[in-house]
Amino acid sequence: MTLNLTIVQTTTKKEKPDPNQLGFGKYFTDHMFIMDYATEKGWYDPRIVPMQNISLHPAAKVFHYGQTVFEGLKAYRTKDNRILLFRPDKNMERLNHSNERLSIPPVDEEFLLEALKQLIAIEKDWIPPAEGTSLYIRPYIIATEPALGVSPSNHYLLMIILSPVGSYYAEGIHPVKIYVENQYVRAVQGGTGTAKTAGNYAAGLKAQEGASEKGYSQVLWLDGVEKKYVEEVGSMNVFFKINGEVVTPVLNGSILNGITRNSIIHLLKHMNIPVAERKISVEELYQAHANGTLEEAFGTGTAAVISPIGELNWQDKKMVVNNGETGSLTKELYDTLTGIQNGSVSDPFGWIVEVK
Amino acid sequence: MTLNLTIVQTTTKKEKPDPNQLGFGKYFTDHMFIMDYATEKGWYDPRIVPMQNISLHPAAKVFHYGQTVFEGLKAYRTKDNRILLFRPDKNMERLNHSNERLSIPPVDEEFLLEALKQLIAIEKDWIPPAEGTSLYIRPYIIATEPALGVSPSNHYLLMIILSPVGSYYAEGIHPVKIYVENQYVRAVQGGTGTAKTAGNYAAGLKAQEGASEKGYSQVLWLDGVEKKYVEEVGSMNVFFKINGEVVTPVLNGSILNGITRNSIIHLLKHMNIPVAERKISVEELYQAHANGTLEEAFGTGTAAVISPIGELNWQDKKMVVNNGETGSLTKELYDTLTGIQNGSVSDPFGWIVEVK
């Protein structure tokens, strides 16, 4: 497709950060994508411009009523210097799913993906080459109309910003300790849990703080109705290997439809490993642990790809998984998926999209 | 207390809007209050400055993770030209309650109230005199640190903006039709329902749109667990008069602790009218309507003060309340409370705070 896109190149390129000190989402590239929306015009004026602050009226609706959605994906540099995206069409599709839930007008998925590719092509020198590193891509939409009535905005900004990120596991993949949250709830059926929207993350901060104080990395969220069934871990989806079968909570209307989650399910089927999406109670995990069949556990998400779980604490009952070590299947899935993403493992699924 | 506050007066005062066309939250005054926060400094540099856009990094956490809280209150001009606030200490108290839930550092309530009074004194000409009009006051805090990690921000902005607002009932108080929402949920125990935070309002937009399409003004929210019990109406608390007793949902951990709600309960006790805070199922309302004991219904909130309900639609079963007319108790409560607020009715509760 021919993109009708204005490009304003920066005249003052920033110095690139130390590739060993990237962390996550701390540094940003020289350019960003912006597009406006007005009810009477639709989406208009798509442009790539120098990275810059945005100026908003203090009454902009995003500040007051949280009408905003986002996405997260990564661009990888291969050993032979090609640039790869991983299933970016799925992010565009989910962005519109989130838009629908938040009463935000839909975007043209194909156009936005092309604009994203063009931005990445301009910023290609920002994609770090080291294994485990990548360029994190954050598309997002905010409601900008300056009006305090509680109603959908008539004006929006869509932006894409880029951040070179380090390996999530600086010292190699290692298991984390997880606290099963009994007080706070992330989402409930009928709420916004299936949308990638700011309020879901705001709701989780308090529980995360509590878990950290107790020495745990993340919380395991239970369902908001009975507080019995496993939903997500931190801001990731979650998988358990129980007696040879891999299980993950079924998409029940309050769980995010993770693209890494979906890819892991595909990968497991491809490997002929039994996998099931179903309700999983924390009691079931406890019993499986007690009888020795809770073999592995891990979270999945764009940032960490796969994060092995070494311990679960449920009401002060501790379940150590696989002696607190990364399980062999977890490791294999991590190696395979990150290999497909960075081009070092062949992609039988057609997931990889090259940026020319 | 002595306020250490910088004041920069505007040099270009805006023209005041037509007092008959104010609407709600569309016009803003000439000045605003701002205060910064940094983890290493605490809250600092409180200042009153000309109303202006704010410039934020595109990665500011408020855009991505919704770490933000707000309050809403009003200043009234009395017939003898005094300026009154209604229980503003309660708003400051609730702001800190919301801060606690959203992992935002607390503010000095007394200081903030004094700063608010000073801002109102500077903007006193913006308080419209007509009955039912007022100056709406919106204090709010947003997370501004430019970092994409999901964790509490190290930087915040607290702002207060002011908007002259018209009478909520341009043609006098009149009952609205309400749709009982069965699909979407506003909040659940363990979530953020008791905090005044953006995500709660974002979650409600979709249901509100659906109700509007069906010809209803607002939705009645049911609990997120069983979808049986009444929680709030739109962004208001809700009361029912059943067989001579006034009932309102008990603060169960997912309902906002409304200041108008609390004031109505005090007022009813003062009037020796039976009032109870308890669980109320929509089935109970339906039965009460069927046997003729559902006498009145109304919402309460800062914007409308009291909003009478003329009809409830629950799964296409219509309950017309008081022949679709404003109930006599609803009207009496409205007149008394708005009278206390605008200084035309004496205040036996010590709720009114004068701005000198």
Side-chain angles (χ1 to χ4, degrees):
Chain A
M1 76 194 288
T2 314
L3 276 193
N4 201 346
L5 192 66
T6 309
I7 299 177
V8 182
Q9 294 267 3
T10 185
T11 52
T12 53
K13 288 199 177 180
K14 282 181 273 196
E15 208 175 314
K16 309 264 187 314
D18 179 347
N20 299 311
Q21 304 287 329
L22 291 174
F24 182 81
K26 296 192 300 182
Y27 301 100
F28 297 91
T29 68
D30 290 316
H31 298 86
M32 63 194 290
F33 172 82
I34 310 190
M35 181 163 66
D36 291 281
Y37 179 91
T39 299
E40 65 279 14
K41 295 171 82 169
W43 290 105
Y44 68 97
D45 196 11
R47 57 206 186 270
I48 291 172
V49 295
M51 184 75 177
Q52 58 196 264
N53 273 17
I54 46 177
S55 172
L56 293 175
H57 191 282
K61 289 199 178 203
V62 63
F63 297 136
H64 303 272
Y65 306 128
Q67 202 192 7
T68 173
V69 295
F70 71 90
E71 271 303 324
L73 65 162
K74 286 174 171 175
Y76 303 85
R77 183 184 295 280
T78 67
K79 289 230 182 337
D80 58 350
N81 237 353
R82 292 178 302 130
I83 299 166
L84 304 183
L85 297 172
F86 180 74
R87 309 185 79 184
D89 52 312
K90 289 287 168 193
N91 293 94
M92 299 300 126
E93 192 181 309
R94 190 172 59 187
L95 184 67
N96 270 339
H97 167 78
S98 299
N99 281 339
E100 217 279 320
R101 180 63 185 84
L102 273 296
S103 300
I104 294 174
V107 298
D108 179 331
E109 298 174 20
E110 202 184 336
F111 171 81
L112 192 60
L113 181 50
E114 289 306 313
L116 187 156
K117 286 182 189 171
Q118 186 139 2
L119 177 64
I120 290 166
I122 288 172
E123 299 293 63
K124 62 180 186 300
D125 293 346
W126 280 91
I127 307 174
E131 182 160 344
T133 66
S134 58
L135 186 69
Y136 183 80
I137 304 162
R138 171 58 59 91
Y140 66 111
I141 302 174
I142 58 173
T144 56
E145 189 188 0
L148 296 181
V150 181
S151 61
S153 181
N154 285 304
H155 296 97
Y156 300 89
L157 274 181
L158 184 156
M159 288 168 279
I160 304 175
I161 57 176
L162 307 175
S163 171
V165 298
S167 173
Y168 211 80
Y169 304 107
E171 294 113 43
I173 182 171
H174 70 278
V176 293
K177 291 165 69 182
I178 301 292
Y179 189 82
V180 181
E181 179 60 42
N182 277 288
Q183 181 184 358
Y184 296 110
V185 164
R186 174 189 166 272
V188 70
Q189 278 91 339
T192 55
T194 71
K196 242 179 139 56
T197 185
N200 296 339
Y201 297 81
L205 294 172
K206 188 78 189 160
Q208 173 62 43
E209 281 196 322
S212 296
E213 280 162 20
K214 297 183 193 85
Y216 290 82
S217 301
Q218 293 281 353
V219 298
L220 187 76
W221 296 110
L222 301 182
D223 74 283
V225 174
E226 299 181 76
K227 290 187 186 160
K228 273 187 188 175
Y229 297 97
V230 171
E231 298 233 317
E232 298 190 15
V233 58
S235 49
M236 294 185 284
N237 293 115
V238 67
F239 288 76
F240 304 94
K241 181 162 170 254
I242 300 175
N243 203 20
E245 184 188 47
V246 179
V247 294
T248 190
V250 66
L251 299 177
N252 62 352
S254 58
I255 293 173
L256 189 78
N257 186 357
I259 295 161
T260 312
R261 173 188 182 280
N262 178 276
S263 305
I264 289 292
I265 292 170
H266 276 287
L267 210 50
L268 287 164
K269 287 178 179 168
H270 189 74
M271 293 159 77
N272 287 315
I273 292 169
V275 55
E277 300 174 70
R278 61 170 173 82
K279 281 174 97 164
I280 303 159
S281 72
V282 64
E283 177 67 34
E284 175 186 350
L285 296 180
Y286 188 72
Q287 294 301 334
H289 176 260
N291 65 31
T293 57
L294 179 56
E295 296 159 357
E296 302 188 28
F298 57 91
T300 65
T302 295
V305 187
I306 285 182
S307 178
I309 295 170
E311 181 189 317
L312 291 163
N313 181 323
W314 178 42
Q315 297 174 335
D316 292 331
K317 291 174 281 198
K318 291 185 185 180
M319 306 175 229
V320 174
V321 184
N322 194 42
N323 296 316
E325 289 162 21
T326 302
S328 58
L329 178 62
T330 304
K331 183 71 168 59
E332 185 179 355
L333 290 167
Y334 176 79
D335 290 343
T336 307
L337 195 56
T338 57
I340 292 173
Q341 289 172 335
N342 66 32
S344 64
V345 167
S346 73
D347 166 23
F349 306 102
W351 286 341
I352 288 304
V353 173
E354 187 168 346
V355 178
K356 299 288 184 185
Chain B
M1 73 195 287
T2 315
L3 276 194
N4 200 347
L5 193 66
T6 309
I7 299 176
V8 182
Q9 294 267 3
T10 185
T11 52
T12 52
K13 288 199 178 180
K14 283 181 273 197
E15 208 176 313
K16 308 264 187 312
D18 179 347
N20 299 312
Q21 303 289 329
L22 291 175
F24 182 81
K26 297 193 299 181
Y27 301 99
F28 297 91
T29 68
D30 290 316
H31 298 86
M32 64 193 292
F33 172 82
I34 309 189
M35 181 163 65
D36 291 282
Y37 179 91
T39 299
E40 65 278 14
K41 295 171 81 168
W43 289 106
Y44 69 96
D45 196 12
R47 57 206 186 271
I48 291 172
V49 295
M51 184 75 177
Q52 57 195 267
N53 272 19
I54 47 177
S55 171
L56 293 175
H57 191 282
K61 289 199 178 203
V62 63
F63 296 136
H64 304 271
Y65 306 128
Q67 202 191 6
T68 173
V69 295
F70 72 89
E71 272 302 325
L73 64 163
K74 286 175 172 175
Y76 303 85
R77 183 182 296 279
T78 67
K79 289 226 180 347
D80 56 352
N81 237 353
R82 292 177 304 130
I83 300 167
L84 304 183
L85 297 173
F86 180 73
R87 307 186 79 184
D89 52 312
K90 290 286 168 195
N91 293 95
M92 300 299 127
E93 193 181 308
R94 189 171 60 186
L95 184 67
N96 270 338
H97 166 78
S98 299
N99 281 338
E100 218 279 319
R101 180 63 186 84
L102 273 295
S103 299
I104 295 174
V107 297
D108 179 333
E109 297 173 19
E110 202 184 335
F111 171 81
L112 191 61
L113 181 50
E114 289 306 314
L116 187 156
K117 286 181 189 170
Q118 186 139 3
L119 177 64
I120 291 166
I122 289 171
E123 300 292 64
K124 62 181 186 300
D125 293 347
W126 280 89
I127 308 174
E131 182 161 344
T133 66
S134 59
L135 187 68
Y136 183 79
I137 303 163
R138 170 58 58 92
Y140 65 112
I141 301 175
I142 58 173
T144 56
E145 188 186 1
L148 295 181
V150 181
S151 59
S153 181
N154 285 303
H155 296 97
Y156 300 89
L157 275 181
L158 184 156
M159 289 169 279
I160 305 175
I161 57 177
L162 307 176
S163 172
V165 297
S167 173
Y168 211 80
Y169 304 107
E171 294 114 41
I173 182 170
H174 70 277
V176 293
K177 291 165 69 182
I178 302 292
Y179 188 81
V180 181
E181 179 60 41
N182 277 288
Q183 181 184 359
Y184 295 110
V185 164
R186 173 189 168 272
V188 69
Q189 278 90 341
T192 55
T194 71
K196 240 178 138 60
T197 185
N200 295 340
Y201 297 81
L205 293 172
K206 188 76 189 163
Q208 173 63 43
E209 280 195 323
S212 296
E213 281 163 19
K214 297 182 193 85
Y216 290 82
S217 301
Q218 293 282 352
V219 298
L220 187 76
W221 296 110
L222 301 182
D223 74 283
V225 174
E226 299 181 78
K227 291 186 184 159
K228 273 187 187 173
Y229 297 96
V230 171
E231 298 233 316
E232 298 191 14
V233 57
S235 49
M236 295 184 283
N237 294 114
V238 66
F239 288 76
F240 304 94
K241 181 162 171 254
I242 300 176
N243 203 20
E245 182 189 48
V246 180
V247 294
T248 189
V250 65
L251 300 178
N252 61 352
S254 58
I255 293 173
L256 189 79
N257 186 356
I259 295 162
T260 311
R261 174 188 182 279
N262 177 278
S263 304
I264 289 292
I265 292 170
H266 276 287
L267 210 51
L268 286 164
K269 287 178 179 168
H270 188 75
M271 293 160 76
N272 288 317
I273 294 169
V275 55
E277 300 174 70
R278 62 171 172 82
K279 282 174 93 164
I280 303 159
S281 71
V282 64
E283 177 65 35
E284 175 187 350
L285 295 180
Y286 189 71
Q287 293 302 333
H289 176 259
N291 66 31
T293 56
L294 179 57
E295 296 158 358
E296 302 188 27
F298 56 93
T300 65
T302 294
V305 187
I306 286 182
S307 178
I309 295 170
E311 180 188 318
L312 291 163
N313 180 322
W314 178 43
Q315 298 173 336
D316 292 331
K317 290 173 281 199
K318 292 186 184 179
M319 306 175 229
V320 174
V321 185
N322 194 41
N323 296 317
E325 289 163 21
T326 302
S328 59
L329 177 62
T330 304
K331 184 69 168 61
E332 185 178 356
L333 290 168
Y334 177 79
D335 288 342
T336 307
L337 195 56
T338 57
I340 291 173
Q341 289 171 335
N342 67 32
S344 65
V345 167
S346 73
D347 166 22
F349 306 102
W351 285 340
I352 288 304
V353 173
E354 188 169 345
V355 178
K356 298 289 183 184

